[in-house]
Amino acid sequence: MKLPFKLFLYSLLALSLPALGQTINWTGAGDGVSWNSPLNWSGGAVPGPANDVAITGGAGTNVVISSGSITVKSIQCTKAFTISGGSLTVTSGTSQISGGFAMANSTALTASGGNTSLSCTGPMSADTANLFVSGGAKLLLPGLWSYQKSGDFYSPTWQASGAGSALVFPALTNIVSVWLYNLNVDALSGGQVVLTNLASMDGAVAVIADGTNSVVDLARLTTVTGTNGSASITAQNGGAVQVPMLAVAQSATLTVGPGSALNLSALWDLSRGSLSLSGGQTMSLPGLTSLDTAGFQVSGGSVLSLPSLRSYQKSGGGYSPTWQASGAGSALVFPALTNIVSV
């Protein structure tokens, strides 16, 4: 009698778990809303890491992840989709969310793995949310047009890590990040963050390209302002931040390390900001003329020349800028500067 009883228990267990390697379909037969309810899924089980997910039919108009770290192989979703709490990760194949997509403060969306791509093509909101790609994955967000980080005690991250990994924002045109905490935009170990239509950036945004072939593409960025906090842009360890049109970088900290690239040829306003070069970098910026209360540091044999700067004034607003050349061969050159006023 023990064997039939064991078979009965195994049958119950099988019914309670998602089918390994199978596609799980949304039915909405429960409340028609909650991802975490087994009653809303075919087979009566919430999808797991071995499952592909299809949300293309069934009851309800908006599917909601409200908590937990959810991982699936892939997702196809034509309904509205919301992450109000927790996170969603896809790990294989091609995924698409074509309905409206909303991410709440501190939630996360991740794509990982070399054959993984996720496109969110519907209208999207993701203020103060996190976005990650790794291991060669692609995350494309053509439905995200603007982004604002709220002024709470949270520091969201956008990160592309690893060769071939790409985080792509084809339609994003402006970012506002309210201090105290940064929005971190990271291209690491050969990853790329592509923001080719971003025109303006205000507040506490920390951009970094760290490692050979790591790129943050800001090809149309013209203006960085400090109304809501101070931004930083850093290229180090062979990374590149592409800002060929950047003209205004008020209150921004710009840093270029050894073997790295940051094209500042269009820059004319760095007021209340700073520029640091290290590791033998050489840069001449004839267009840079608005530099009041700005600081400059060069080290490791780097040379910075500002041939058009004729006057300089430090304001009395609590800033303490530094001009420093450290190490053999390092030089700060101001061939036209005739007067300095420091309040």
Side-chain angles (χ1 to χ4, degrees), residues 19-248:
L20 293 177
Q22 293 185 7
T23 298
I24 305 296
N25 294 284
W26 176 265
T27 66
D31 62 7
V33 175
S34 175
W35 176 290
N36 294 322
S37 172
L39 297 177
N40 285 320
W41 299 100
S42 61
V46 176
N51 297 121
D52 298 298
V53 173
I55 307 175
T56 55
T61 58
N62 183 27
V63 177
V64 178
I65 293 175
S66 58
S67 63
S69 299
I70 306 300
T71 299
V72 296
K73 288 177 65 178
S74 70
I75 181 171
Q76 301 295 326
C77 180
T78 57
K79 295 178 181 289
F81 194 75
T82 299
I83 305 177
S84 63
S87 64
L88 173 65
T89 298
V90 295
T91 62
S92 182
T94 301
S95 296
Q96 183 173 13
I97 299 173
S98 58
F101 184 20
M103 297 180 66
N105 184 324
S106 78
T107 59
L109 181 66
T110 300
S112 65
N115 68 336
T116 304
S117 67
L118 170 58
S119 298
C120 303
T121 57
M124 182 176 178
S125 62
D127 289 350
T128 320
N130 301 279
L131 302 164
F132 300 97
V133 291
S134 63
K138 310 288 191 296
L139 178 55
L140 293 86
L141 306 170
L144 186 64
W145 304 322
S146 65
Y147 182 94
Q148 179 165 327
K149 187 199 81 67
S150 59
D152 55 14
F153 295 95
Y154 187 75
S155 183
T157 296
W158 299 354
Q159 185 180 101
S161 178
S165 300
L167 183 54
V168 185
F169 302 83
L172 187 66
T173 58
N174 68 88
I175 293 173
V176 176
S177 180
V178 180
W179 70 301
L180 296 170
Y181 290 80
N182 291 330
L183 164 64
N184 302 298
V185 180
D186 304 337
L188 308 176
S189 303
Q192 297 193 5
V193 181
V194 182
L195 292 148
T196 49
N197 279 307
L198 187 70
S200 65
M201 194 164 71
D202 179 72
V205 184
V207 176
I208 185 168
D210 186 355
T212 303
N213 296 323
S214 299
V215 176
V216 179
D217 187 346
L218 298 164
R220 289 183 176 83
L221 181 67
T222 61
T223 306
V224 175
T225 50
T227 304
N228 289 286
S230 299
S232 64
I233 299 176
T234 301
Q236 63 187 31
N237 299 318
V241 181
Q242 298 173 351
V243 285
M245 296 178 64
L246 181 62
V248 175

